[in-house]
Amino acid sequence: MTYRETLAHPVVARLSLIQLISYFGTWFSQVAIFSMIVSFGADEITIALTAAMAMLPAVILAPIIGIVIDRIDFKKLMLTLLLIEITATIGFIFINSLTYIWILMLFIFIRSSAASMLFSAEMALFPKLLKGKMLKNTNEIHSIIWSFTYAAGMAVGGIVTYTLGFDTAFMIDIILYSIAILLLMGLQLTLEKTLHLASNWQMFKEGFVYLKSHQKLIHLILLHAAIGLTSFDALITLLADLRYKEFIAVPLAIGLMNATRALGLMAGPFFIGKFISKENLHWFFIFQGSAILLWSWVEYNFYLALFALFVTGFFITTLWSYTYLVIQEETEKYYMGRVISYNDMFFMLSNVITALFIGYAAKEGLSLASITTVLGTGFFFFALYYLWFKRNYL
């Protein structure tokens, strides 16, 4: 089954288009946020905390997100979440100095809470509608859309932020979210609703007990969380600010670096997606770690670093989508929303730890190349972890 045949499914096609527009808007304004706080004179810790704030909601709110997803109609939930994202983005416009950095972080937390819930809701919905190759392709399409919008959003966002300013970028973002809402109105979704008679507290306990009793799922969730080591937002911002700003403007550097990495994210599945399997997954962890080590060796040169970032991104999408697929296939439909939210919690926790490690390590004087090396080495550990998992559970 090809990607084109998968997109012939009306729900997959409509949600993919909504994802394309809303994700583009998110990454478009991401450049504006980080460029704005750099222009205000933010230090390494503030940059790291700002990056972490976008990931915290999935960690803190995971139990609530899972229950909400399992209880509320998908379309109504999606509409509410998109409206919340618009409201939070409007708030960005009123931030004009580091005096209001905590308010900015609050708005980021609110918008990311809505985005996290929306993402988890979509990933819990697809296994209820699709199976096998269709589900695998949908996961990969989702990853490719994320990667494309990351590339295009960061690149265009960097140019718009540099030429027109932060507020214009935020206004364009608001317009894009509004278009996504209009598309959502035309979504025709027929889905047998799962009846949950238990209270919210009982549902929370059920989900926790289910996950605790399925050790295989816990290990798969931890393996998926390894991808959080590629949370490079803070590292890329620091490189742009501390190493490349004499050569290129910070917004353009952030945009180009993230866009180049995202091109690798987008290209990877077309070339290597069909080769990944449970038998060779450990090799993909090794390839990912090796790519990050390559980046650490050439960070001193902007153009060589761009090439290495492309290579770094080449394996991420395939690793992310395949480990997510295995988790979906191992989970019963009744618990899907809660398990998916717990999975996203561990994944985002890994992202948060990575972002904070980058910020605090840089603050303590560890070189950016050394920080990058530590992140790459982590993937060799997870390759060994998967070999142990395969021997004991597959």
Side-chain angles (χ1 to χ4, degrees):
M1 180 176 291
T2 64
Y3 290 148
R4 180 176 294 180
E5 291 170 334
T6 303
L7 285 170
H9 192 293
V11 175
V12 174
R14 175 74 62 157
L15 286 178
S16 295
L17 183 57
I18 293 171
Q19 288 168 353
L20 180 67
I21 294 171
S22 62
Y23 286 5
F24 180 88
T26 298
W27 299 123
F28 182 90
S29 62
Q30 190 83 342
V31 178
I33 290 171
F34 283 103
S35 300
M36 181 173 68
I37 64 173
V38 167
S39 72
F40 293 161
D43 60 15
E44 295 92 338
I45 301 302
T46 301
I47 291 171
L49 286 173
T50 303
M53 196 58 65
M55 309 161 196
L56 274 177
V59 178
I60 298 173
L61 304 177
I64 299 173
I65 289 174
I67 294 170
V68 170
I69 290 171
D70 282 338
R71 279 197 181 277
I72 298 180
D73 174 76
F74 175 82
K75 189 173 178 179
K76 292 179 181 177
L77 177 62
M78 195 171 184
L79 175 61
T80 302
L81 296 174
L82 285 171
L83 289 171
I84 291 173
E85 290 188 83
I86 288 176
T87 304
T89 305
I90 291 173
F92 296 158
I93 297 172
F94 299 97
I95 306 300
N96 56 20
S97 75
L98 283 181
T99 304
Y100 304 104
I101 189 67
W102 295 110
I103 297 177
L104 172 65
M105 290 184 181
L106 176 62
F107 285 140
I108 292 173
F109 183 88
I110 292 171
R111 188 172 82 159
S112 297
S113 296
S116 295
M117 190 175 295
L118 181 56
F119 171 81
S120 296
E122 288 174 339
M123 299 310 290
L125 172 70
F126 289 139
K128 298 175 183 178
L129 297 172
L130 313 168
K131 296 290 183 184
K133 182 65 173 175
M134 189 80 166
L135 177 59
K136 180 178 183 292
N137 280 4
T138 300
N139 280 351
E140 291 178 352
I141 289 169
H142 180 94
S143 299
I144 292 168
I145 288 173
W146 186 94
S147 304
F148 170 76
T149 55
Y150 194 92
M154 287 288 189
V156 177
I159 295 170
V160 170
T161 300
Y162 178 69
T163 56
L164 301 178
F166 315 123
D167 291 348
T168 301
F170 296 141
M171 288 302 301
I172 293 173
D173 197 7
I174 292 166
I175 293 171
L176 291 170
Y177 281 129
S178 300
I179 294 172
I181 287 176
L182 293 177
L183 288 170
L184 176 65
M185 298 302 179
L187 177 66
Q188 302 296 320
L189 184 61
T190 303
L191 188 66
E192 182 181 349
K193 187 172 179 60
T194 303
L195 185 62
H196 293 277
L197 300 177
S199 67
N200 291 335
W201 176 243
Q202 288 174 317
M203 287 186 67
F204 168 74
K205 288 194 295 183
E206 285 178 356
F208 182 79
V209 170
Y210 174 78
L211 187 59
K212 185 179 178 181
S213 62
H214 289 72
Q215 294 294 313
K216 186 177 180 181
L217 263 178
I218 293 174
H219 290 299
L220 289 171
I221 287 172
L222 292 175
L223 285 163
H224 180 75
I227 317 302
L229 292 172
T230 62
S231 179
F232 298 142
D233 287 345
L235 181 57
I236 285 174
T237 302
L238 289 171
L239 282 167
D241 185 34
L242 302 178
R243 177 155 292 181
Y244 305 136
K245 68 180 177 182
E246 302 300 326
F247 173 74
I248 185 173
V250 170
L252 294 179
I254 294 174
L256 281 173
M257 292 168 72
N258 280 309
T260 302
R261 179 170 69 115
L263 288 174
L265 290 168
M266 185 171 55
F270 290 101
F271 293 96
I272 61 175
K274 60 185 176 182
F275 297 112
I276 193 169
S277 70
K278 294 178 182 178
E279 291 302 315
N280 62 19
L281 181 58
H282 59 285
W283 282 110
F284 285 81
F285 282 112
I286 292 172
F287 294 151
Q288 182 63 71
S290 301
I292 296 173
L293 290 181
L294 172 64
W295 181 32
S296 73
W297 297 333
V298 299
E299 280 178 357
Y300 65 90
N301 183 287
F302 181 72
Y303 293 110
L304 290 176
L306 286 181
F307 169 76
L309 273 169
F310 177 86
V311 178
T312 296
F314 198 75
F315 302 98
I316 295 175
T317 300
T318 300
L319 268 173
W320 181 91
S321 61
Y322 187 77
T323 51
Y324 217 118
L325 171 68
V326 178
I327 291 168
Q328 289 169 323
E329 291 178 337
E330 288 289 333
T331 305
E332 297 176 29
K333 286 184 179 180
Y334 181 81
Y335 298 98
M336 188 66 70
R338 282 161 284 179
V339 170
I340 290 299
S341 67
Y342 278 121
N343 176 60
D344 293 340
M345 177 185 72
F346 279 95
F347 176 71
M348 285 302 180
L349 180 60
S350 176
N351 280 264
V352 169
I353 292 171
T354 299
L356 293 177
F357 163 72
I358 292 169
Y360 281 98
K363 186 72 172 179
E364 292 300 316
L366 191 64
S367 71
L368 298 182
S370 297
I371 292 171
T372 311
T373 299
V374 172
L375 299 179
T377 304
F379 279 94
F380 292 92
F381 164 78
F382 279 101
L384 295 174
Y385 180 28
Y386 180 74
L387 287 173
W388 172 85
F389 170 81
K390 184 170 71 168
R391 185 172 64 250
N392 289 276
Y393 288 93
L394 297 184

